[in-house]
Amino acid sequence: MLDKETVVEKKKLGIAALTMITIASVVLVVMGTITVMRMLGKNSLSIAVAGTSNMILGEVAGEMEINKILYKEESYVFNEDLVTVLVMGIDKETVTTVGGQSFTADEEGEFAGGQADALFLMLINPHDKNVNVIAINRNAMAEVDVFDEEGNYQGIFTKQIALQHGYGDGKEESCLRQVKAVSRMFHGIPINAYVAISMDAIPELNDAVGGITVEVLDDIVYPEYDMDLHQGETVTLSGEKAYWYVRLRNENIFNSNELRLQRQKQYLTAFAAEAKNQAVSDIRVAVNLYQTVHKYMVTNIDLNAFTYMATEYIGYNFDMENIYSLEGEAIQGNNFEEFYVDDEALQELIIKLFYEPAENQ
């Protein structure tokens, strides 16, 4: 017969074992859930929102296999494992001048969806574990689908590519139209996902990682915005200062958008590096940033896709050398600056980032 102490010990062991089994079960369920989310997320990112996987650049001679091209007498194959994401910084407060009067985007009506003041095409390459980014000049002249205020299609016109987002509802419709325009500019490359973020999110995102330190690239002196930064200064941007640093441009300087684009590239690199460093040691940082930006964002990246991206790509390489700008020429148009992309240089960039030499396959 068991004594009282033995019975108590066995009960303790039974409770401990049950507790361990329960914890193990919960862990397995969580791991299983994350695995399923990652799988679903990976699958969703493999579907193109716009574009085609069979692009043709330059002169093509003879019969080519699907996704292969002949460019300057060399054959290349499209990297089908690339994940491309169009990131849009949306400004609904862009002021334009019409007939001597100033209007905000909402008041003007034509661009009520807000202009894509910042456009970055992100390429995630699992082959070399790199994240490359192409900065697209907002004034790049491109084929834009134009609609009137009632939503009636008017046709394709050559306009600044940033305007495409405005010809929509400011939500999914605008995003899909902007994705289509960018894909068309890039000779039909597929774009898997999009993220449109209101520029109003910058102060919160900036402060969520403790601020971003930069060396000021050009003078930004606007007393009305409490901005008094001078080229060469090293400053830690916080709150509204981060917002104005990436948004303000001196319209009295020709091609001022290019100066601002350089600041945006600089800030994006510094922010990504800081966010990555913090997230590597604590994945909750990535989740917190996602929750912070969610209310400012329109995207087709759901929680499954985000989970996959946050766990799969966090170790990929990304720095200033991974950011490319489109080559071209800026001119003063009748009303606004116009940037004409060098198509030959664009084709070279597409080959470099989207394709691989066929002999390596």
Side-chain angles (χ1 to χ4, degrees):
M1 187 171 177
L2 297 173
D3 57 30
K4 196 171 181 181
E5 254 182 59
T6 304
V7 171
V8 169
E9 285 300 317
K10 284 197 169 185
K11 281 185 176 179
K12 285 182 179 177
L13 286 170
I15 292 170
L18 183 61
T19 302
M20 290 301 294
I21 290 170
T22 302
I23 292 172
S25 299
V26 170
V27 170
L28 287 172
V29 168
V30 170
M31 288 177 64
T33 301
I34 291 174
T35 301
V36 171
M37 290 176 72
R38 278 173 49 84
M39 181 180 68
L40 292 173
K42 182 178 181 180
N43 289 340
S44 70
L45 289 171
S46 67
I47 302 169
V49 178
T52 171
S53 59
N54 188 20
M55 285 83 66
I56 302 297
L57 297 176
E59 294 297 322
V60 178
E63 294 294 324
M64 299 295 292
E65 295 178 34
I66 192 77
N67 292 340
K68 281 190 178 181
I69 63 170
L70 190 66
Y71 182 72
K72 293 187 176 179
E73 299 183 355
E74 298 289 337
S75 59
Y76 297 87
V77 63
F78 182 72
N79 181 357
E80 293 185 329
D81 294 323
L82 272 178
V83 174
T84 54
V85 183
L86 181 63
V87 180
M88 300 164 265
I90 307 304
D91 182 8
K92 286 197 173 184
E93 298 178 354
T94 301
V95 176
T96 57
T97 303
V98 180
Q101 263 185 299
S102 293
F103 298 87
T104 66
D106 286 334
E107 291 168 341
E108 189 180 349
E110 187 181 11
F111 308 122
Q115 297 182 29
D117 229 28
L119 282 168
F120 295 95
L121 188 59
M122 181 168 64
L123 289 70
I124 305 167
N125 189 352
H127 291 181
D128 59 11
K129 310 296 185 187
N130 273 319
V131 176
N132 294 307
V133 173
I134 302 173
I136 303 170
N137 192 310
R138 73 175 304 282
N139 292 326
M141 303 303 286
E143 293 183 341
V144 171
D145 289 308
V146 174
F147 299 79
D148 65 19
E149 292 182 30
E150 282 73 44
N152 300 309
Y153 185 60
Q154 302 298 299
I156 296 177
F157 295 82
T158 300
K159 290 175 173 282
Q160 287 87 348
I161 198 165
L163 302 180
Q164 180 67 85
H165 187 275
Y167 290 109
D169 59 1
K171 299 178 182 177
E172 181 181 1
E173 181 181 73
S174 286
C175 289
L176 291 174
R177 289 173 180 174
Q178 187 70 68
V179 167
K180 180 181 177 183
V182 171
S183 175
R184 188 160 50 200
M185 172 191 273
F186 280 77
H187 295 270
I189 58 99
I191 297 176
N192 304 99
Y194 59 79
V195 181
I197 304 173
S198 169
M199 302 289 266
D200 295 337
I202 292 173
E204 278 194 62
L205 284 172
N206 181 86
D207 293 355
V209 296
I212 296 298
T213 300
V214 297
E215 182 179 316
V216 181
L217 298 182
D218 58 290
D219 292 345
I220 312 172
V221 181
Y222 293 87
E224 63 270 36
Y225 301 116
D226 192 28
M227 290 292 285
D228 188 19
L229 303 180
H230 297 271
Q231 185 176 0
E233 290 180 346
T234 298
V235 298
T236 298
L237 301 169
S238 60
E240 293 293 318
K241 276 189 166 54
Y243 171 78
W244 293 119
Y245 186 78
V246 299
R247 185 186 167 196
L248 288 173
R249 64 188 177 102
N250 187 347
E251 295 184 3
N252 294 320
I253 298 176
F254 177 67
N255 202 17
S256 61
N257 183 65
E258 185 60 31
L259 292 173
R260 180 175 62 178
L261 187 59
Q262 295 306 313
R263 274 189 266 124
Q264 291 173 346
K265 287 166 57 178
Q266 176 200 38
Y267 181 85
L268 176 65
T269 306
F271 178 85
E274 184 60 35
K276 176 182 174 180
N277 288 339
Q278 294 185 24
V280 165
S281 57
D282 186 357
I283 194 62
R284 290 175 298 179
V285 172
V287 176
N288 187 40
L289 286 172
Y290 182 83
Q291 292 173 337
T292 299
V293 76
H294 192 263
K295 61 186 174 183
Y296 298 101
M297 180 171 64
V298 178
T299 182
N300 67 334
I301 298 176
D302 61 15
L303 188 57
N304 293 330
F306 175 76
T307 301
Y308 176 77
M309 295 174 77
T311 55
E312 183 72 16
Y313 302 140
I314 197 166
Y316 281 28
N317 179 58
F318 174 70
D319 54 35
M320 199 64 179
E321 291 182 358
N322 294 79
I323 301 185
Y324 299 82
S325 293
L326 297 181
E327 295 182 29
E329 180 186 9
I331 67 169
Q332 182 60 52
N334 292 331
N335 295 307
F336 306 105
E337 286 182 15
E338 299 174 355
F339 182 84
Y340 289 88
V341 176
D342 182 327
D343 196 58
E344 185 174 346
L346 175 59
Q347 291 187 27
E348 294 280 358
L349 186 61
I350 292 172
I351 291 294
K352 178 178 180 177
L353 298 182
F354 292 87
Y355 284 81
E356 296 172 335
E359 61 267 20
N360 294 341
Q361 301 305 307

